[in-house]
Amino acid sequence: MNLYWRYFMIHLKSQMQHKTSFLMLIVGQFLATFTAFLGMYYMMARFQQIDGFTLNEVLISFSIITLAFALAEMFARGFDSFAILIGNGEFDRMLVRPQNLVPQVLGSRIELSRIGRLIQALLIFGYVLPNSDIQWTGLKLLTLCFMIIGGVIVFSSLFLFYASLCFFTIEGLEFINIFTDGGREFGQYPFSIYGEAVLKFLTFIVPLALVQYYPLLFLLGRSQNTFFVFVPLIACLFIFPCYGMWRFGLKHYQSTGS
């Protein structure tokens, strides 16, 4: 953690050298996600509900996924850009340093401009939570926290899995974006709207539904099953096979010679 904190401070000082540029990046990130919000808002204003979910209920899903993805992208971006580290030889230099590789890769890129997305998600939270019909209890607040934490870990695990494949392909495989950026876009609505096959895939293969759909049912009072409170913690186990893939790739890695 001490090493990662040092990397964080370096990135912070570096990006604050050009404050206007940094501010414009934050505004750009805010507006990029805001267009998706507008599309969802006007669609819901036209049809009133989708698969039985109202605007406020969809907004809860939207803000949770946006917040979780923004945090993962901010702090785990090093794995998302891992192909660059391999291609330019920087990863080979990391290998000879007497430090753990994970914080080195994580600290290689920290996207503080993602604060723009965080701000938008928090603003939506500030609007929708007091205006929803949710009867808040300690268990439901815990559910909300688990959803956000689980979402951060699942998205970070997907970035880690992407980096693991780069050991064999050198270049990044863009199909992973189906589950990272695509997961963020799809997750702005409850996953049940995409059909049973997609819901099962996002439950048992890539467990995004475990941090969004099932706990959302409990949060909205559509289910009284308290097991749904803890399914985001089960989703966190997804990091272990992804880390196992990372270790497997690292074991078979041969230098690119850069």
Side-chain angles (χ1 to χ4, degrees), residues 41-198:
Y41 176 82
Y42 285 117
M43 186 187 74
M44 294 299 296
R46 173 65 178 83
F47 297 103
Q48 303 302 316
Q49 62 178 18
I50 181 169
D51 195 32
F53 292 92
T54 64
L55 173 61
N56 282 346
E57 292 172 338
V58 172
L59 283 177
I60 293 174
S61 173
F62 179 95
S63 54
I64 289 171
I65 287 294
T66 301
L67 180 59
F69 185 82
L71 288 170
E73 199 175 29
M74 182 184 297
F75 296 111
R77 188 69 169 177
F79 285 115
D80 192 36
S81 57
F82 187 68
I84 298 174
L85 296 180
I86 287 185
N88 63 16
E90 178 60 29
F91 184 68
D92 290 357
R93 288 190 285 272
M94 291 180 179
L95 286 170
V96 299
R97 295 170 185 163
Q99 296 288 345
N100 190 293
L101 286 171
V102 171
Q104 288 190 73
V105 176
L106 285 173
S108 66
R109 188 171 182 181
I110 299 176
E111 296 281 1
L112 297 177
S113 62
R114 268 45 183 185
I115 292 173
R117 291 181 179 176
L118 283 176
I119 292 172
Q120 181 179 151
L122 292 174
L123 287 175
I124 296 174
F125 266 132
Y127 164 76
V128 73
L129 293 186
N131 289 289
S132 66
D133 296 327
I134 299 175
Q135 301 298 316
W136 289 103
T137 63
L139 199 57
K140 289 192 174 182
L141 289 173
L142 188 64
T143 304
L144 184 62
C145 293
F146 284 164
M147 292 172 75
I148 295 170
I149 294 171
V152 173
I153 292 177
V154 170
F155 280 122
S156 298
S157 299
L158 287 168
F159 290 142
L160 178 60
F161 183 78
Y162 164 82
S164 304
L165 296 178
C166 294
F167 285 124
F168 306 100
T169 62
I170 307 302
E171 296 293 333
L173 298 177
E174 294 299 322
F175 86 90
I176 296 296
N177 290 336
I178 297 173
F179 307 111
T180 52
D181 293 287
R184 181 201 67 208
E185 293 294 326
F186 295 153
Q188 292 172 357
Y189 300 90
F191 284 126
S192 61
I193 74 170
Y194 303 110
E196 184 177 352
V198 173

Side-chain angles (χ1 to χ4, degrees), residues 153-154 157-158 161 205-207 234-243:
I153 292 177
V154 170
S157 299
L158 287 168
F161 183 78
I205 308 300
V206 180
I234 298 175
C236 294
L237 299 176
F238 183 61
I239 196 170
F240 291 106
C242 293
Y243 183 71

